[in-house]
Amino acid sequence: MDQNEALALLKPHLKQERYDHTVRVMETALELANRYGVDEKKAELAAIFHDYAKYRPLEEMKKWITSTYLPKDLLHYHHELWHGPVGALLVEKEIGITDVEILDSIHYHTTGRTHMTQLDKVIFLADYIEPGRKFPGIDEVREAAQVSLDYGCWMATKNTIGFLMSKNQPIYPDTFYAYNALTKAKNNKHEGK
Ligand code: DGI
Ligand code: FE
Ligand code: FE
């Protein structure tokens, strides 16, 4: 599936501003994939479909979580965390993408996970630093993304956890698992282990 075909399939599912965000995530993901030697075709498709389920009604997402293999604990956390896992499911069902690496990077794009693949990291980080984003601390994450994929993702998970804690929000376990795995990798590297 080429870029234009994929974008045309995506477009009816998103509002204009979300579509524009997606195009910026795609461009950012392609840059990161190129820089860090990750499969650009997979990065392109995963980025295009990462927010595919963003506007599905909550009741529909709930139904998919309840009736499929998706983790049930999602229902006990903010519904903002549902569109990644449900998106991966629907991109397979409705768009016909079967590549597990692509589907996983869509599934985990909001939280990350333990031992993220290189593709997971590209999508997670591209979504965080695309040029339209204006989070507090974003410049530091953009600089870290120039140093390495791991360092950029580590900084993004650290920022997200700090942000959620400052708002007294619960944090989904995968967000902690991602942060822990990236922190251990970073510390081991610095200690020369
Ligand atoms: O879909 P996007 O807006 O492009 O971005 P996203 O899929 O990364 O969603 C971002 C939102 O998800 C942001 O408001 C922070 C929130 N989030 C990320 N990790 C967690 C979380 N919210 C909770 N409650 N817990 C988390 O672990
Ligand atoms: Fe998202
Ligand atoms: Fe997004």
Side-chain angles (χ1 to χ4, degrees):
M1 190 185 316
D2 70 18
Q3 186 185 111
N4 287 335
E5 199 185 334
L7 285 170
L9 287 170
L10 171 78
K11 196 148 202 306
H13 295 275
L14 300 184
K15 295 180 187 165
Q16 186 65 42
E17 60 176 37
R18 180 63 42 180
Y19 180 80
D20 295 344
H21 156 75
T22 296
V23 172
R24 293 191 298 267
V25 173
M26 177 191 80
E27 287 164 356
T28 308
L30 280 169
E31 279 170 29
L32 290 172
N34 179 273
R35 173 187 275 263
Y36 294 118
V38 177
D39 188 318
E40 291 181 46
K41 197 64 223 169
K42 290 192 188 199
E44 181 179 74
L45 278 180
I48 290 173
F49 290 110
H50 83 281
D51 277 339
Y52 180 75
K54 190 84 179 177
Y55 297 111
R56 290 295 162 123
L58 292 184
E59 281 312 310
E60 183 191 339
M61 289 201 278
K62 211 180 257 186
K63 196 196 78 189
W64 286 120
I65 294 167
T66 310
S67 64
T68 64
Y69 61 84
L70 292 176
K72 309 297 167 252
D73 65 348
L74 285 167
L75 297 171
H76 304 301
Y77 288 85
H78 200 279
H79 56 73
E80 189 63 49
L81 299 175
W82 301 353
H83 73 282
V86 171
L89 184 91
L90 295 180
V91 164
E92 181 171 17
K93 257 184 203 302
E94 298 175 4
I95 306 292
I97 291 176
T98 53
D99 185 299
V100 173
E101 276 193 291
I102 294 178
L103 296 175
D104 278 350
S105 68
I106 295 172
H107 183 126
Y108 295 103
H109 83 265
T110 304
T111 57
R113 59 168 161 170
T114 191
H115 301 117
M116 293 166 80
T117 67
Q118 294 299 95
L119 185 65
D120 289 348
K121 292 174 196 169
V122 163
I123 301 306
F124 177 79
L125 191 54
D127 190 29
Y128 203 91
I129 63 169
E130 63 91 348
R133 293 292 204 195
K134 291 182 186 72
F135 305 136
I138 186 78
D139 289 337
E140 213 182 349
V141 183
R142 290 201 174 108
E143 281 165 27
Q146 302 293 320
V147 177
S148 77
L149 214 40
D150 276 3
Y151 191 50
C153 288
W154 175 77
M155 192 71 85
T157 55
K158 185 169 130 81
N159 242 26
T160 299
I161 291 171
F163 169 78
L164 292 168
M165 288 184 76
S166 77
K167 302 265 175 222
N168 296 331
Q169 289 290 316
I171 295 165
Y172 190 66
D174 278 338
T175 306
F176 281 127
Y177 291 142
Y179 169 77
N180 288 346
L182 292 160
T183 301
K184 284 181 197 165
K186 185 174 98 64
N187 292 350
N188 282 342
K189 213 185 221 168
H190 284 286
E191 287 158 23
K193 283 183 197 153

